[in-house]
């Protein structure tokens, strides 16, 4: 592998990290325009693993905007990010697609003042586009929750 490929891979990893961080910030800040902009035009989100819906990212953003009013305070902590780049032939050290697995802890507060915390794993798929890396899908797998 050449230094040029190494540098490109590092830059891609940083861009993907920024994309995932942007996802968390958009949800936490109720920035639904920003949320939609993180996705490819045909991007999808699947929140069924946490009791939600699945569908086109724009429709899911509308659902999130309504549902998350129950939690005026929320904060995503997304950790343990694992990025696997892919091309048509399979996984490799760089490429125009990536599968990202990341764990999350999500403390929130109900409007009533009660605290709620859940955790689990995200499965993100990202594609390199003319506008940079964008999410083609997000799947949420909630593993635990408590009041």
């Amino acid at each position: 592998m050449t230094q040029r490929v190494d540098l490109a891979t590092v830059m891609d990893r940083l861009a993907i990290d920024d994309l995932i961080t942007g996802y968390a910030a958009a949800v936490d800040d109720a920035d639904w325009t920003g949320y939609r902009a993180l996705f490819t035009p045909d991007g999808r989100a699947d929140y069924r693993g946490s009791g939600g819906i699945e569908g086109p990212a724009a429709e899911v953003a509308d659902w999130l905007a309504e549902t998350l009013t129950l939690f005026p305070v929320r904060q995503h902590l997304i950790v343990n990010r694992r990025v696997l780049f892919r091309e048509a032939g399979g996984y490799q050290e760089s490429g125009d697609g990536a599968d990202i697995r990341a764990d999350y802890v999500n403390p929130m507060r109900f409007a009533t003042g009660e605290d709620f915390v859940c955790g689990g794993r995200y499965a993100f798929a990202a594609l390199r586009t003319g506008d940079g890396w964008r999410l083609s899908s997000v799947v949420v797998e909630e593993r635990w929750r408590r009041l």
Side-chain angles (χ1 to χ4, degrees):
M1 179 180 297
T2 67
Q3 283 184 330
R4 181 182 303 261
V5 172
D6 285 342
L7 180 58
T9 300
V10 168
M11 297 303 292
D12 284 339
R13 286 182 177 279
L14 289 171
I16 288 169
D17 187 69
D18 193 48
L19 180 67
I20 302 306
T21 299
Y23 167 87
V27 171
D28 292 344
D29 297 342
D31 178 3
W32 308 118
T33 300
Y35 179 92
R36 288 176 184 88
L38 296 169
F39 286 84
T40 60
D42 61 346
R44 299 185 70 80
D46 184 348
Y47 288 82
R48 293 176 295 182
S50 61
I53 67 168
E54 185 277 335
E59 290 177 20
V60 172
D62 293 340
W63 173 81
L64 285 168
E66 183 178 331
T67 302
L68 291 180
T69 59
L70 295 170
F71 305 99
V73 177
R74 54 191 175 269
Q75 180 180 30
H76 274 76
L77 306 171
I78 301 179
V79 299
N80 299 335
R81 297 171 188 182
R82 184 174 197 175
V83 178
L84 296 173
F85 291 101
R86 61 180 148 72
E87 284 288 348
Y91 290 106
Q92 46 195 21
E93 292 185 31
S94 64
D96 289 333
D99 292 320
I100 305 99
R101 184 183 80 187
D103 296 327
Y104 71 89
V105 175
N106 186 196
M108 298 180 279
R109 177 163 290 152
F110 283 103
T112 60
E114 244 183 328
D115 289 331
F116 173 80
V117 183
C118 62
R121 180 164 286 163
Y122 284 112
F124 297 99
L127 295 173
R128 184 192 315 273
T129 72
D131 295 321
W133 286 92
R134 295 292 181 264
L135 297 170
S136 58
S137 73
V138 175
V139 177
V140 179
E141 179 192 335
E142 185 179 279
R143 295 191 170 176
W144 60 270
R145 62 171 58 184
R146 68 177 166 83
L147 286 172

